Structures are given as structure tokens and as C-alpha cells.
Amino acid sequence: MHLSLSLSAVFSTGALLLGRAGVHTSRAGTPTAASIAVPEASQLAQLARMTTLSIDTGDLDIIKAYGATGLITDATTNPLFVSQAGLSGDARYIAFVDSAIAYAKKNAKGTEAVLELAMDRLAVELGLEIVKLVPGYVSTEVDIRASFDTEESIARARRIIAMYEAAGVPRTRVLVKLAGTWEGIQAAKVLEKEGITCNITLIFGFIQAVAAAQAGARLISPFPGRIKDWAGANGGKKAYEPSEDPGVKSVSRMYAYYKKFGHENTICMPASWRPSRSTPADKIAEHATDEIVALAGVDRMTIPPSILDQLAATQEPLLRQLTPAAASAACADSIVGDGDISEAEFRFALNADVCATTKMAEGINMFVAETLKLEAALRGKL
Ligand SMILES: *[C@@H]1O[C@H](CO)[C@@H](O)[C@H](O)[C@H]1NC(C)=O
């Protein structure tokens, strides 16, 4: 999605990038060569020393180039990337689609079952390439349409992991992505007990972060940029000092709660960035890294190539803002739901958080639209 400069930025440029060259390879100025120079003094190198970094693109060439710097640990697929790959005319991606369909025809019966398996398999095909390019996790999305169905999410996640393991990739390298709904979080609770690690995504509110950690999820992906968008559109300011940016404050609060209440097994990994000090429409490039700089030190971050490029080109000192001890000491929250929040408490708190309720719905709808687009294209090839 990612939603990173966000999902919506990539989303809106996606169509342009789909053309001949593949997913994002036609992006002007983004290196496709196997090496990118990242000076030690750059903000990117400084950031990588305090926060583990993931790249936000479905473009295998860009992942490879950044992977080779040694500064990027993880990568992800999502419905948008899979869809862009699946719909692109690039020969490599066409081969993934063909092999996903062949796999599905061999392993499922009936058009709908074949289609469903082909969709999952296509995401796994991309993921199998990505694990070769980065040393850490690759995330793979459980069908977003299962976001309100715990049993279906569990079944789909198990099947995704089975496909990775059959291809020789252990479950410890994979995160299954589930939306931060009550049902998605309950699926994670079951899956984590089986050693299937989960990335709870579409996190816009504190209560989602708390419930995900209490369920034992390995990782959450909050979206500070889209939280700022929501504030700006709903009576907040359009521009903030980075430390006052609502997205930055929200992620800092989640991080602090985790450190205070011992959720050290749940990684806080924001993605989706906006310029705090200007509106995204201003396109003031120098502000694009505001939220990242303000959250430096958080466990992990997912960053799109354009902002990685910018961090690599900037040499100003980068100060660590978040540390476990200081965040924990400053955390004003008390433990939520006695450490085991109920469904009623979760839903009540989520409902009261209009930003989280609205942005999660919007995010799910956006992914559903991508999924349907890809599904229609695959159906035409069965
Ligand atoms: C988890 O999912 C988010 C949202 O889709 C993504 O940005 C992030 O990179 C993923 N994390 C990892 C480690 O793959």
C-alpha cells in the first residue's frame, strides 16, 4: 500500500508505473542498478543504526538494489503491489501469474477455489522472490475480504505458510498480514501459538495496538501519515511541528505503552509518511522525512524508495527520539483491560476513536478494490 508516502501516493501513481516497464521500474530517478551509494554520514545510514528498516515497494529491482546496501532488512507484498505486478506487462511478473495459475489448477478444484488459490499463490510467488533479496521478514497479506472472519483468516494464513514451507522458506521468515480488526487480531492470537508470526496492519488507533500486543502479534504497522491526514481533514491543523504531529504522537504512545507493559515481543513498525510541516499537496520535499525523523529509534520502519533516496542524500545529524527506557518512564497510560481486553471493550474503544474507525474502513475498502481488480484479471486467464 504503502501506504507510505503512502499508500495513497503510490496508489495514485500506480497507474502510470504499470506501463511497460513493470511495477515501479519506470519511476524517474530511482536506481535500478544493483548498487546504491549510501554514505555513512547520511541520515539513512544513521537511521539504520537505530531502527530496523523495511522497503515499501513491490518492485523487485528496487528491493534488490536497496537490499544490497545492507541497510534494508525486510520487505512486504500487499494487494496493491501484487495487483500491480499481476497486471503489469513485465515478463517476469507475467511468469509469476502463469505459474500461480498453473499451481492453483493443479491444487484446487472448481473455478472459484482455483481463483482463490491463484490469488494467494501469486502473493507467495512474489514473496519467494523477495526472501532472496532481503535477510529479514517478508510479509504476505491474507485476503483482505476475510478481515471480519477469524476462521477464514486462520485457514488462509496456514495455507500461505504451507506454500512457503513447501518451497523451503521457514515460517520464521514470513509475516502474515491481517487487518487490525477484532477478528484479525483473534486470528493472530491462534496463529502465533503455531509459530505463524503476524503483521497486524491498518493500525490507526491506540486500542488496536494494545489488542494486537495482548494477542501476542509479532508486529504492528501503524500509519502515522494517514492519521495526520485524518486530523487535517477533521478540524485539526494542516501543518504541525513534527513532535506535535498527531501521527507521530499516536505512534509514540503505542511504542511507549509496549515498553512500559513488557510487550517486547511485539514490534512497533510504522509505515505511511506525510510531511508534518506542510500539506502533502505542497510537495515540499524537504519536509517529507519529518515524521520519520521525529520517530527515529522506533523498533522498525517501512519506508518507500523515494524517501529512502532522500534520506540517503541528506547528511544532517539524526537524533534518536525514542528509546525504550525514556518512553516507558514517560508513558501516562495504565494497563488496558487488565492485560486481556474483551471484545466489547475493544469495539467500544475503537468506535470512540473516529479516526481509527474511519481510516481502517477506508484502508480495507481500498485493498478490497485492488483485490477485485486483480481477481478479475486472473479470472480472465483461467
Ligand atoms: C507489515 O505490513 C505493513 C503494512 O502493509 C508493511 O508496510 C510492513 O513493511 C510490513 N512489515 C514487514 C516486516 O514486512
Side-chain angles (χ1 to χ4, degrees), residues 1-4 54-56 74-78 137-139 141 175 177 199-202 219-221 223 269-271 300-302 367:
M1 304 195 163
H2 301 313
L3 285 204
S4 319
S54 169
I55 187 163
D56 210 0
D74 312 305
T76 184
T77 70
N78 66 46
Y137 289 121
V138 58
S139 280
E141 194 98 18
L175 291 165
K177 280 204 277 191
N199 178 350
I200 309 294
T201 170
L202 298 171
L219 190 145
I220 62 159
S221 304
F223 294 140
M269 182 168 194
R300 296 190 186 217
M301 285 183 187
T302 300
F367 274 166

Side-chain angles (χ1 to χ4, degrees), residues 3-16:
L3 285 204
S4 319
L5 189 81
S6 250
L7 244 206
S8 51
V10 175
F11 188 78
S12 58
T13 52
L16 299 174

Side-chain angles (χ1 to χ4, degrees), residues 26-105:
S26 55
R27 185 198 294 269
T30 299
T32 50
S35 72
I36 294 174
V38 182
E40 274 297 297
S42 67
Q43 287 200 325
L44 181 56
Q46 295 179 67
L47 181 63
R49 290 195 282 271
M50 49 186 107
T51 290
T52 303
L53 301 178
S54 169
I55 187 163
D56 210 0
T57 175
D59 187 314
L60 295 171
D61 293 327
I62 296 177
I63 296 174
K64 185 172 184 188
Y66 264 106
T69 65
L71 300 175
I72 300 296
T73 306
D74 312 305
T76 184
T77 70
N78 66 46
L80 176 62
F81 295 158
V82 173
S83 172
Q84 288 178 336
L87 300 175
S88 85
D90 186 271
R92 214 167 7 154
Y93 297 110
I94 291 175
F96 292 146
V97 172
D98 291 345
S99 99
I101 290 175
Y103 177 94
K105 283 185 167 161

Side-chain angles (χ1 to χ4, degrees), residues 55 103 120 127 173 178 194 216 227 233 249 295 307 311 320:
I55 187 163
Y103 177 94
D120 286 354
R173 291 285 317 272
L178 298 158
E194 300 171 10
I227 294 171
K249 287 171 81 170
L295 289 169
I307 299 186
L311 290 164
R320 183 164 184 158

Side-chain angles (χ1 to χ4, degrees), residues 95-125:
F96 292 146
V97 172
D98 291 345
S99 99
I101 290 175
Y103 177 94
K105 283 185 167 161
K106 200 167 142 216
N107 291 284
K109 279 199 177 51
T111 310
E112 297 313 307
V114 169
L115 193 55
E116 186 191 284
L117 183 55
M119 297 280 286
D120 286 354
R121 181 69 191 184
L122 180 56
V124 172
E125 296 272 345

